[in-house]
Amino acid sequence: MKTRVMNVTLKKWAQSGMLLCLAFLLSTPALAVENYPYRSDYLWVTVPDHADWLYQCGEKAQVEIQFYKYGIPRDGVVEWEVGTDLLPSDAKGTVTLKNGRAVIPMGTARKPCFRDLRLRMMLDGQTYEHHVKVGFSADKIRPFTQEPSDFMTFWQQQAEKARQFPLHYSKEYVKEISNDKVEAWRLKIDLDKERHSFYAYLLMPRGAQKGSCPVVLTPPGAGVKPIRDATTRRFYPEGGFIRMALDIHGLNPTLSEEVFAEIRAAFDNKGNAYLRQSLEDRDNYYMKHVYLGLLKAIDILVSLPEWDGRNVIMQGGSQGGALALIATALDSRVTLCVANHPALSDMAAGSAGLTSGYPHFTKESGAYSETCMKTLPYYDVVNFVRHIRVPVFMTWGYNDNTCPPTTSYAVWNVLQCEKECLLTPVNEHWTSDATDRQQMEWMRRRLK
């Protein structure tokens, strides 16, 4: 197994006072000159005394905090709390900023985890909040979720059943997304006899020759919404890749935003409720047809005459990152995988009072009942990644409260394949355009 970590090394910046500049660079939208946060009058800067924001259990962490308004240091009283990643605070206090600066001791941790320093200050009649997370023995974080003894047997049987349904889809040329370099098509993919379906946009290099293109399948992030990245990732077909961007709910992406809002209100409601739907029944859980539908999408990609016959790549972020890893484990045709801050990871951990992955089920949701707890392990990313044997690229940020770093490390530490990661501590639930393009180049270097 080959492991390569491309860590963001912050020590020199921190020592030279350049961490502020790094925060600006990492969060400024492409081709724009804006403050961090985007178009904000104020700025928090947090500088842990370990430049990579990582400690060993037993080591004490402290963080210098800085606050600026209009670029000017401001003084005031900051209320702070510290708690384990996404869990209630267990320590708190106050500190007074002098010349806009103060140092807060975060203490240590006895077990591998991330700890979150949460900040709050009243100034000029407004409340300003921020947070920063640091890790303790992060390389030793392991998932709470255990793999059922028949895990792969179950999924192999389900995949075999799915293959019995014939491949069928419709295809419509989309002029408004196409250009002189890219041909775009809108697809409706029939998945099974229960009439589940996916919609997708298929983007191809214009004039691609037979057998010339690697294929990339990109499942969506969580939510009931149109396919949003059909145009923002056109650099894939412009760079010679065939790319398919999916919807997983069978909703025509040409529907108006008003209609999608009505569907969300009725179907999705709060907290992406489809992820809770029929969780009591392993064989009828909502995500079952989604996981298996990924294989149908791959069937389409490898049936294209322009496919190079060798390279099948999964790529996605959040829920899409989870689905990318899942399809990689389920389908031996996948040759590479790129996953940003994967959701659906160690979801059952909350039942034990631990940090759980998105969608952050609660006891009130009923997701931790005895029957649901029997289903969850069959759908958790950490159990799929144990079976991946092809190269994986992952990236995640430490300040992410949607897909917390604890669960990203739980996935990363379980992977037993060739793997590389880009750690971006300052990031919350996002990646930059530069990172997105870097991932495409990572794929290109590993094409067969």
Side-chain angles (χ1 to χ4, degrees), residues 176-247:
E176 60 269 24
I177 297 179
S178 303
N179 60 26
D180 60 339
K181 296 181 179 179
V182 177
E183 292 181 307
W185 304 82
R186 186 164 44 246
L187 278 59
K188 183 181 180 184
I189 307 168
D190 299 325
L191 301 182
D192 52 42
K193 63 182 180 180
E194 283 77 30
R195 302 188 68 178
H196 292 121
S197 62
F198 286 167
Y199 276 88
Y201 283 106
L202 179 67
L203 277 67
M204 304 180 62
R206 185 173 291 278
Q209 299 299 307
K210 182 177 180 180
S212 65
C213 299
V215 294
V216 180
L217 177 61
T218 303
V224 176
K225 56 195 177 185
I227 303 170
R228 300 191 186 280
D229 64 350
T231 57
T232 59
R233 299 295 184 273
R234 265 196 302 227
F235 57 83
Y236 274 88
E238 290 172 353
F241 291 82
I242 295 172
R243 182 172 180 271
M244 181 187 288
L246 284 179
D247 148 79

Side-chain angles (χ1 to χ4, degrees), residues 108-321:
T108 189
R110 295 181 180 179
K111 297 180 179 179
C113 68
F114 272 76
R115 298 276 286 168
D116 190 7
L117 174 63
R118 301 147 189 166
L119 307 170
R120 184 175 184 270
M121 182 171 67
M122 289 288 296
L123 183 70
D124 301 333
Q126 297 185 29
T127 300
Y128 298 92
E129 295 182 334
H130 191 57
H131 77 121
V132 59
K133 298 183 190 181
V134 301
F136 293 88
S137 299
D139 60 330
K140 295 182 173 60
I141 292 173
R142 292 295 183 271
F144 168 83
T145 303
Q146 300 298 306
E147 182 177 342
S149 59
D150 65 340
F151 178 79
M152 285 307 292
T153 299
F154 170 76
W155 282 108
Q156 288 166 357
Q157 291 173 346
Q158 300 308 311
E160 182 58 35
K161 291 179 183 178
R163 278 191 287 269
Q164 295 172 11
F165 187 79
L167 181 63
H168 182 266
Y169 64 97
S170 59
K171 182 179 176 184
E172 176 186 7
Y173 184 71
V174 185
K175 182 179 179 180
E176 60 269 24
I177 297 179
S178 303
N179 60 26
D180 60 339
K181 296 181 179 179
V182 177
E183 292 181 307
W185 304 82
R186 186 164 44 246
L187 278 59
K188 183 181 180 184
I189 307 168
D190 299 325
L191 301 182
D192 52 42
K193 63 182 180 180
E194 283 77 30
R195 302 188 68 178
H196 292 121
S197 62
F198 286 167
Y199 276 88
Y201 283 106
L202 179 67
L203 277 67
M204 304 180 62
R206 185 173 291 278
Q209 299 299 307
K210 182 177 180 180
S212 65
C213 299
V215 294
V216 180
L217 177 61
T218 303
V224 176
K225 56 195 177 185
I227 303 170
R228 300 191 186 280
D229 64 350
T231 57
T232 59
R233 299 295 184 273
R234 265 196 302 227
F235 57 83
Y236 274 88
E238 290 172 353
F241 291 82
I242 295 172
R243 182 172 180 271
M244 181 187 288
L246 284 179
D247 148 79
I248 61 168
H249 301 296
L251 297 173
N252 192 318
T254 64
L255 294 173
S256 69
E257 182 52 48
E258 289 77 12
V259 172
F260 270 99
E262 291 177 355
I263 293 170
R264 280 194 295 272
F267 168 64
D268 196 34
N269 202 4
K270 297 180 180 178
N272 295 318
Y274 63 87
L275 291 166
R276 173 65 182 83
Q277 187 174 326
S278 301
L279 186 58
E280 291 83 0
D281 186 345
R282 180 187 70 173
D283 294 318
N284 290 300
Y285 178 41
Y286 184 89
M287 296 303 286
K288 179 183 171 184
H289 80 267
V290 174
Y291 290 12
L292 296 174
L294 300 171
L295 311 185
K296 278 282 190 280
I298 293 173
D299 287 344
I300 293 173
L301 287 170
V302 301
S303 72
L304 299 173
E306 295 85 358
W307 176 47
D308 66 11
R310 301 181 301 278
N311 296 284
V312 177
I313 305 165
M314 295 299 307
Q315 183 268 329
S318 195
Q319 177 186 263

Side-chain angles (χ1 to χ4, degrees), residues 393-406:
F393 182 105
M394 277 184 59
T395 184
W396 63 96
Y398 293 171
N399 284 344
D400 194 339
N401 277 341
T402 303
C403 296
T406 300

